[in-house]
Amino acid sequence: MNHFELREGALWCEDTPLAEIARVVGTPAYVYSTATLQRHYRVFVEALGEHESLRGALVAFAVKANSNLSVLATLARAGAGADTVSEGEIRRALAARVAPERIVFSGVGKTYAEIAFALEVGVGQINVESEPELGAVASIARESGRCAPVAIRVNPDIAAGGHAKISTGAAESKFGVSRGEAERLYAAAAADPALKVRGIACHIGSQITDLAPMASAFAVMRELVLDLRRGGLPVERLDLGGGLGVPYFNQPDPPGPQAFAAVAAKAAEGLDVQAVFEPGRFIAANAGILLASVIHVHERPEGRRFLVLDAAMNDLIRPAMYDAWHDLRPVRSRQGPRRDYDVVGPVCETGDTFARARPLPPLESGDLVAFMSAGAYGAVMASEYNTRPLAPEVLVRGAEWALVRRRPTYEEILAREPAAPWL
Ligand SMILES: *Cc1c(COP(=O)(O)O)cnc(C)c1O
């Protein structure tokens, strides 16, 4: 459920008409709903809370899904921790007042400087993804006189996810270590006084709509916890990652948080571990939209009808990169027979196509439209390709709203590039 609804023939976000936001900040623009962010976080935590083995779990929002500071602060206030993959994201989480011990630091290529920074600010868990990385974390910890809290990221050799580019759990993917290697690294970490090994972690993919691979991966993790303990090694945390899919409206509803929690609970049952989760998309996707305006409707004599928008692939890359489907709704309801439109942006690439032959009511130049479910992997993946300024971001709370990232001016964009002195 989300808080983008039709009222009197127009699309609103909570108690704010989207047309009002577009009038003030212009388009394209991202709009997020506070109530939806809070609701999704709460529903997730409540689903976990129904299981003894998952009570007290750390729910660390995957910052890469939506890293806007006001979005992070909204979730931090609701109680969320943060799953981060760079120093920049750790800095964002801290700026949004996530307590350092509630920050998880993941990623296959953490640099020396990033690891040193994570240790200095005291993140709660560094997910180590390889043997060389374990060595690096240990030596940086020794040099700085700190003890590094680590978890070993296991690649359970089970692939899942809505698209090959967002599947991370197969043996040939770059993420984590094999189960056998994990046991060896875990023992090495436990024996190193510069490291405090807290547990094991996995994350097998994103936009997962089938719980079976998750159940298999979690079963591998459970077995590993038991094996490590049989070997006399302490395991205090079990991090089961993120990946739960969301409905993008053209699919059957994916499994909800209750079904997901039941699968996770089965894996954690009786282990007496603190569970950790890293949901991103589930929390943020349906809490945001991308607002755009129609520039032209261009009908070719041979039949194709193009809806040319002022939003493009640089603003929302998911359709171009993952063949993703986003529902597109007119902001003011239009009467009339639906016709097929190819929905495109102004960028000079054929890939700048949001949808082909999409049935939509009659639309004209100047109309506002909304790409639904754009709150995750939307603004964060935007670029200034074609020197198009980054779309601004707006956070709505009831009848009030705030510009939480402004659109850069052309002067700001050009000023970032000092001329070479010989020019
Ligand atoms: C991307 C990612 C997540 C979040 O995935 P979602 O599908 O958005 O829930 C969680 N953990 C790790 C390690 C990730 O890379």
Side-chain angles (χ1 to χ4, degrees), residues 297-371:
V297 178
H298 167 197
E299 303 209 24
R300 288 249 178 86
E302 68 275 21
R304 291 210 88 87
R305 186 178 297 110
F306 293 95
L307 189 69
V308 185
L309 303 179
D310 65 356
M313 63 190 289
N314 71 296
D315 303 301
L316 177 65
I317 204 172
R318 298 190 65 258
M321 187 140 102
Y322 309 122
D323 304 311
W325 195 99
H326 283 269
D327 194 16
L328 185 65
R329 298 195 196 164
V331 168
R332 174 150 295 282
S333 301
R334 293 272 173 198
Q335 303 305 318
R338 290 181 163 248
R339 297 186 299 172
D340 285 352
Y341 291 88
D342 286 358
V343 183
V344 302
V347 161
C348 303
E349 301 248 358
T350 308
D352 189 22
T353 299
F354 292 112
R356 287 212 172 271
R358 178 70 65 86
L360 292 167
L363 287 163
E364 358 179 301
S365 171
D367 281 356
L368 289 170
V369 293
F371 286 98

Side-chain angles (χ1 to χ4, degrees), residues 115 128 130-143 185 192 195:
I115 294 167
V128 169
S130 65
E131 183 160 20
E133 187 171 80
L134 187 68
V137 173
S139 70
I140 296 164
R142 256 189 300 279
E143 281 164 27
L185 291 191
D192 190 329
L195 301 173

Side-chain angles (χ1 to χ4, degrees), residues 60-65 83-85 104-107 127 129 153 166 168 175 202-208 214 239-245 277-283 376-377:
F61 173 66
V63 172
K64 75 175 196 275
D83 174 53
T84 60
V85 294
V104 176
F105 187 21
S106 310
N127 285 352
E129 306 233 9
R153 174 150 176 198
I166 50 174
T168 53
F175 301 96
C202 73
H203 170 75
I204 62 169
S206 194
Q207 186 52 17
I208 298 174
M214 280 202 170
D239 179 345
L240 296 175
L244 188 58
F277 296 93
E278 305 167 350
R281 192 187 308 271
F282 175 80
I283 307 272
Y377 307 106

